[in-house]
Amino acid sequence: MAIAHSVGMPNFTEPVSIFMSTPVHSIAQTANLQAAADAMHERGLSSLAVLDEAGALAGIVSHTDLLGSGLRNAGTRPDAALLESTASVATVMTPDVISVDIECSMADAAARMVEARVHRVFVTARGDIAGVLSTWDIMAAVEAVRVAKPASEFMSTPVFTVRASETIALATERLGKAHVTGLLVVDESEWPVGVFSQREALESGHAPRSATVESAMNAAVLTLPDRTALHNVARQARAMNARRVAVMNRHELVGILTGVDFAKAIC
């Protein structure tokens, strides 16, 4: 996804067009869930715009929608697949799409994300979709403007974790109950060693549910001191393609920074 940069922005009153991403990746509402999951995986995305038969925006389908549907269908069956591949996107998509005008300021768009607890808003121009502003783009803005306040001012607590030695079934259940998009994976000493997100839960959907989290987790986890300037956190996270940052006070895990936490810094 292409991202436009503007070096030296003095504040966040500039329009979202500066940092929004294009093109907007989409899928037909008649496509099946496996096709949606495959498209997200191939493009490294967590959501897709959903189009109706006329090509108009009908909703959005995300990892949250796919996993929520999978957990409902699997129920208590330990060997049930988490992805009903034959169901259509229309049956699980979220029809309420949050959008902002292309002239909307970055600060106002970020406020919409924080208020709704979403990781992206669509950008429209004269009623047509012109792009999407995600929390990944918000991180680019935080880096460009060099927000110097420490990570501790924006981190979220408590941190939802799972041990690397625990099972995929337990981790997936915890994701659903905590209503979060990812868990930090910790070792026996409580040190972060990875991330188990909705993506990993879906991709491990056909693995034995008794397999360990360590076998399915994403090891790309960034750990930084709580005093680290936020723009440096954003820079390192984007360089590592890390969507979550573990915030440490010496050897203690004290918080986590997600995309929505970065949005808090500019609204």
Side-chain angles (χ1 to χ4, degrees):
M1 299 177 72
I3 299 176
H5 295 274
S6 177
V7 179
M9 288 170 56
N11 50 48
F12 294 104
T13 61
E14 284 75 5
V16 293
S17 57
I18 294 176
F19 281 95
M20 73 179 189
S21 297
T22 57
V24 177
H25 296 288
S26 63
I27 193 166
Q29 64 179 5
T30 54
N32 63 46
L33 301 189
Q34 186 63 60
D38 290 344
M40 291 184 208
H41 175 73
E42 291 168 4
R43 294 165 179 158
L45 302 173
S46 60
S47 67
L48 295 167
V50 181
L51 305 182
D52 63 18
E53 291 80 359
L57 182 64
I60 185 171
V61 63
S62 67
H63 282 152
T64 299
D65 299 316
L66 296 181
L67 186 59
S69 172
L71 288 172
R72 289 190 296 272
N73 290 328
T76 58
R77 295 172 294 164
D79 297 324
L82 281 180
L83 195 62
E84 288 288 341
S85 58
T86 58
S88 71
V89 168
T91 63
V92 305
M93 72 179 188
T94 300
D96 299 324
V97 179
I98 299 177
S99 63
V100 297
D101 187 79
I102 198 167
E103 296 299 325
C104 177
S105 72
M106 289 289 291
D108 287 345
R112 294 287 302 276
M113 291 183 187
V114 173
E115 180 183 8
R117 299 293 300 176
V118 295
H119 289 261
R120 85 284 304 161
V121 292
F122 288 101
V123 180
T124 60
R126 295 178 295 280
D128 296 325
I129 299 177
V132 62
L133 185 78
S134 72
T135 51
W136 193 246
D137 304 318
I138 293 287
M139 291 166 67
V142 167
E143 179 184 357
V145 181
R146 297 184 61 82
V147 176
K149 290 184 177 180
S152 58
E153 290 198 19
F154 305 101
M155 68 185 187
S156 291
T157 57
V159 184
F160 294 96
T161 64
V162 63
R163 289 187 183 274
S165 58
E166 292 181 301
T167 66
I168 290 174
L170 183 146
T172 303
E173 181 182 3
R174 190 169 297 169
L175 273 174
K177 289 183 176 180
H179 300 291
V180 294
T181 58
L183 304 170
L184 274 182
V185 183
V186 296
D187 63 15
E188 297 304 314
S189 66
E190 300 297 322
W191 186 263
V193 294
V195 172
F196 186 86
S197 71
Q198 294 170 334
R199 181 188 302 274
E200 284 71 49
L202 289 167
E203 290 178 355
S204 63
H206 295 288
R209 312 312 290 158
S210 58
T212 63
V213 170
E214 186 174 23
S215 68
M217 71 182 189
N218 180 353
V221 59
L222 179 61
T223 59
L224 290 172
D226 56 359
R227 293 173 293 178
T228 307
L230 197 65
H231 70 87
N232 282 329
V233 179
R235 176 176 57 81
Q236 293 186 56
R238 284 174 56 80
M240 288 182 58
N241 197 29
R243 303 283 174 161
R244 292 165 186 81
V245 180
V247 183
M248 313 295 294
N249 186 314
R250 297 190 179 184
H251 297 289
E252 181 184 359
L253 176 63
V254 294
I256 186 170
L257 281 168
T258 68
V260 174
D261 297 315
F262 283 96
K264 294 175 188 175
I266 75 170
C267 63

